Amino acid sequence: MNFSVLAIPFCALVYGLVAAPQPAAAQTIPFWKSSFFFNSTTYTIRLVGSDPAQGAMTTLVANTIVPMKLIFSDGNVLDAQREVAPLLASPIFSSAVFPSGTTQYADAVLRAELWPAVQGSNYHVLLDTPSVAPEYLLTVPSNEGSTMTGPHGQVTGTVDYQWFVKTVQPTVVTQLGIAPTSLTIFVTHNLLLKRPGNACCFHGNHSAFVVHGPAGKDLFTTVWAGMSPGNADTMSHEINEWANDPFNDNVVPSWRIPGVNDCNTTLEVGDPLVGATFSAGGFIVQDVAYVEWFSRQQPSMALGGQYDVLGKLTTPAQDCL
C-alpha cells in the first residue's frame, strides 16, 4: 500500500486579528486514507487509526458495548447480558500473543498489514476501555422475527436484517446518546439475521450510517455479533472488518473466496477465511486476510510475507471472470 496523508484543516490566530469562528466539523471515529494501484486503477481505502507515515502514534478508539435482551412474540427471551464478560476478557479488548506483538487482535492485524512502516515502533490502534450501556430491551414484532428450538432445547432467534441493522441500530444509538466518535458494539445471544431476500443467515455484521447533526453529517459505525465463553469467532471477524473498512465503502478489485465463484468488490477481510480459526488468549478467533491479498501485492509486504494471519492464503486474490 502507498501511504497518503489525510489533510486536517486548522485555524490560526494572527497577531492583532482574530480568525472568524469556523463551524465544527462533522464527527466520526479516527481514520486515515491509504491507496494502492492495480490494473491501471488507483484504489483508495479508509482504515481505522492514523497514518503510520506521520509517526508512531497510539490511537485509542472510544466504544460503547450495548448488550441486548430480545423478547419475541412467542414469549421466548434471548438475553445477552452474560455475553459482556467474555467479550471484555477476549482478545477483542484484552491483549494476547500474535505474530505482530502482544496486543488486541484488530491492532495485531493492522500492524501486520502495515509492517514495513510500523515494525519496531509503538504504532497501535486500540479499543479504549469501553462504556457498557444498560441492557437494551427490544420487543421483536412477529413480522420482523421469530425463534426456533433445537433438538437439545437451545432457542435461536432469527430477525430481519433490514429491520435490525437499518432501523433498530440507529434508533438505539440515538436513544442512548452515543457519540459518532464512539464505535457501538451490539451484543446478542443466539441471534441470526435473515439476509435480504429472506435467505438465511448473517451471524454478525459491521455497518455505518449517517445522522444529520448541527455540524453536518455525523458518521456512526457499529459492529454486531454474539459471544460465548472461550469463543470470539464471529466477533473477531466483524471487529477486523470494521478496522479495515469502518464505513463499509472500501472498494477493491473484484475477488472471490478460494473455491467459490461468488464475486465481491468490498474489503471484507473476514469473508475469505470463514471457518479458519485459532486460539489466542484462551479464546477462539477467526483468521483474516490482509489488505495485501486484495491489492494483489507480490510479494506481500505484510509481516512474514503472508496474506493472512495463519498463512493459509499463499497467493493473492483471484479476479472474478
Side-chain angles (χ1 to χ4, degrees):
M1 291 185 293
N2 298 314
F3 304 113
S4 60
V5 178
L6 177 62
I8 302 176
F10 63 94
C11 298
L13 293 180
V14 181
Y15 183 75
L17 297 174
V18 179
Q22 299 295 313
Q27 298 184 85
T28 191
I29 56 169
F31 74 93
W32 64 288
K33 294 181 180 179
S34 183
S35 62
F36 63 88
F37 187 77
F38 178 73
N39 275 358
S40 304
T41 301
T42 297
Y43 294 86
T44 299
I45 60 176
R46 297 186 286 184
L47 301 98
V48 178
S50 67
D51 184 348
Q54 302 307 304
M57 296 175 56
T58 293
T59 301
L60 294 177
V61 183
N63 61 96
T64 303
I65 297 173
V66 182
M68 305 192 75
K69 184 176 183 178
L70 277 64
I71 301 176
F72 290 82
S73 59
D74 60 7
N76 280 318
V77 177
L78 297 178
D79 188 345
Q81 187 66 52
R82 59 185 172 181
E83 315 284 341
V84 175
L87 174 58
L88 296 175
S90 77
I92 306 302
F93 284 99
S94 298
S95 292
V97 178
F98 295 99
S100 61
T102 301
T103 185
Q104 296 173 355
Y105 189 22
D107 178 52
V109 170
L110 290 171
R111 282 178 54 82
E113 293 174 327
L114 303 171
W115 195 244
V118 306
Q119 61 178 320
S121 79
N122 287 322
Y123 179 92
H124 293 283
V125 181
L126 301 171
L127 291 174
D128 205 351
T129 301
S131 171
V132 181
E135 187 173 47
Y136 190 91
L137 184 63
L138 178 65
T139 299
V140 181
S142 58
N143 64 319
E144 300 291 1
S146 60
T147 65
M148 55 185 175
T149 302
H152 301 292
Q154 183 183 52
V155 176
T156 300
T158 305
V159 302
D160 180 72
Y161 170 89
Q162 293 292 338
W163 177 68
F164 187 78
V165 173
K166 305 297 184 181
T167 300
V168 172
Q169 290 189 4
T171 298
V172 173
V173 167
T174 301
Q175 288 180 352
L176 296 180
I178 298 172
T181 51
S182 178
L183 166 68
T184 303
I185 303 175
F186 290 96
V187 184
T188 58
H189 178 68
N190 287 352
L191 184 68
L192 303 173
L193 297 189
K194 289 183 292 185
R195 300 169 181 261
N198 211 34
C200 195
C201 285
F202 290 116
H203 295 256
N205 171 262
H206 64 108
S207 188
F209 60 89
V210 169
V211 172
H212 294 269
K217 296 179 179 180
D218 292 333
L219 188 52
F220 292 76
T221 63
T222 66
V223 164
W224 156 69
M227 280 291 306
S228 61
N231 193 324
D233 182 357
T234 303
M235 186 65 79
S236 65
H237 174 127
E238 299 301 338
I239 284 288
N240 275 294
E241 292 196 334
W242 163 81
N244 282 273
D245 188 6
F247 309 115
N248 249 3
D249 61 0
N250 283 344
V251 176
V252 295
S254 65
W255 59 273
R256 59 186 178 88
I257 298 172
V260 179
N261 291 325
D262 289 345
C263 292
N264 203 329
T265 58
T266 56
L267 185 58
E268 296 284 321
V269 299
D271 287 4
L273 290 160
V274 170
T277 60
F278 62 101
S279 179
F283 281 77
I284 299 299
V285 296
Q286 191 203 300
D287 187 13
V288 295
Y290 295 148
V291 173
E292 285 81 355
W293 186 74
F294 299 90
S295 67
R296 278 56 164 190
Q297 191 179 90
Q298 296 190 72
S300 171
M301 296 298 291
L303 175 61
Q306 297 186 173
Y307 290 107
D308 65 289
V309 179
L310 296 180
K312 288 183 172 295
L313 301 171
T314 57
T315 59
Q318 295 183 356
D319 297 350
C320 289
L321 303 177

